[in-house]
């Protein structure tokens, strides 16, 4: 679009241009098809936009402000410390503590039952060690066992 | 909400440029109310809601035309005003700022609701729709509704191609009917800047319209 049209475009479209400005622009539009087409499209779109104009005065239903307040309260994030004041928070915390206690207690009791005969004394440990078969004349199976153990460990 | 804080940014060079003197919105009676609302004064916020609720409702109704949803959108607009009023920086008038929030909220709504089907219910309540369906011949009814709604649909699609600022300026100019001088006063920009921005927006709308004519699917809103 040529500068002569650009400069007075808003006044021209709003029909508030002075007679001289109007003549100047219209004179250019007569000889310039490019500007003529573009201005015409702009006029058409400006006219189209009026479809969004409100048709009638809107009556706001009573109590609108309190409904806005309610929405604001719904959307206000609760502060972190508010959780501590919530009775449900206390109930949940107490329940969680009880559950942990119960679990720990259960674990301690079940571990204790494995040692139903009591903690093995030194003599028991020696007896267990002495029970392990020792075969100095045939070390091969032991070496094989060691190799198997090592291989499975690295895997 | 970040986009709302910098409504209508004003480049430094513009304040010296030719044009009308900028309005100092902080030192108006309304500015005092806004400052109170920014400090958490509920009464001041209520005054703002009551002053602009009718305007906000009619802007929404102009865009959305779905009577049942207008109040919901208006509530959402004022909730946004409440949560972001601290970011309002007095560069524009309060109503210009609220206008922008309202238009954005309408576009959010349209995006969510896939407007095409909704606008067909237009201005009418469900009862009214039923009444019209029973009295008006289907042919006439469809033509009337089609013309208006197709135009609205088309215009909303075109406007969706503009930036938020361009859309705001075009709507204030062509829908609300403000002059360039008034726009300068409302936005804190000078008249030349407004003219340049409007010109760019108009060019963009022309391009979008041409694209829409060539390939209707491309300018989907
Ligand atoms: Zn030209």
């Amino acid at each position: 679009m040529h500068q002569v049209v650009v400069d007075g475009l808003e006044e021209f479209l709003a029909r508030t241009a002075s007679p001289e400005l109007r003549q100047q622009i219209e004179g250019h539009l007569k000889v310039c098809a490019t500007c003529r087409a573009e201005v015409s499209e702009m006029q058409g779109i400006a006219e189209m936009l009026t479809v969004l104009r409100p048709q009638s005065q809107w009556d706001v239903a009573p109590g609108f402000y309190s409904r806005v307040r309610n929405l604001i309260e719904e959307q206000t994030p609760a502060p972190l410390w508010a959780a501590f004041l919530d009775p449900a928070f206390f109930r949940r915390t107490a329940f969680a503590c009880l559950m942990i206690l119960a679990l720990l207690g259960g674990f301690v009791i079940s571990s204790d039952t494995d040692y139903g005969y009591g903690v093995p004394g030194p003599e028991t440990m020696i007896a267990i060690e002495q029970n392990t078969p020792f075969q100095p004349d045939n070390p091969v199976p032991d070496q094989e066992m060691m190799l198997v153990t090592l291989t499975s460990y690295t895997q | 909400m970040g986009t709302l804080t910098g409504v209508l940014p004003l480049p430094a060079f513009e304040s010296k440029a030719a044009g009308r003197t900028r309005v100092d919105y902080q030192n108006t009676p309304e500015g005092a109310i806004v400052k109170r609302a920014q400090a958490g004064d509920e009464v001041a916020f209520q005054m703002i809601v009551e002053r602009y609720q009718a305007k906000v409702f009619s802007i929404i109704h102009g865009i959305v035309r779905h009577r049942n949803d207008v109040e919901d959108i208006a509530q959402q607009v004022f909730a946004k005003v409440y949560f972001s009023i601290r970011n309002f920086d007095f560069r524009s008038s309060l109503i210009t700022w609220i206008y922008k929030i309202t238009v954005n909220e309408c576009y959010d709504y349209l995006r969510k609701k896939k407007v095409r089907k909704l606008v067909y219910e237009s201005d009418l309540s469900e009862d009214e729709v039923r009444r019209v369906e029973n009295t008006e011949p289907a042919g006439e009814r469809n033509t009337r509704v089609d013309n208006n709604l197709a135009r609205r649909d088309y215009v909303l699609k075109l406007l969706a191609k503009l930036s938020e600022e361009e859309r705001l300026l075009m709507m204030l100019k062509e829908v609300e009917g403000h002059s360039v001088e008034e726009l300068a006063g409302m936005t804190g920009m000078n008249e030349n800047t407004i003219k340049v921005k409007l010109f760019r927006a108009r060019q963009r709308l022309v391009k979008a319209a041409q694209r829409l004519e060539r390939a209707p699917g491309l300018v989907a809103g």
Side-chain angles (χ1 to χ4, degrees), chain B residues 187-198:
Chain B
T187 59
M189 290 187 259
N190 72 58
E191 287 179 34
N192 287 338
T193 308
I194 298 277
K195 282 183 184 177
V196 169
K197 285 177 188 286
L198 281 174

Side-chain angles (χ1 to χ4, degrees), chain A residues 48, chain B residues 119-120 145-156:
Chain A
M48 280 268 204
Chain B
V119 287
Y120 273 81
V145 171
D146 278 358
N147 284 342
N148 238 333
L149 295 171
R151 250 179 93 182
R152 175 179 309 282
D153 199 22
Y154 179 78
V155 161
L156 289 171

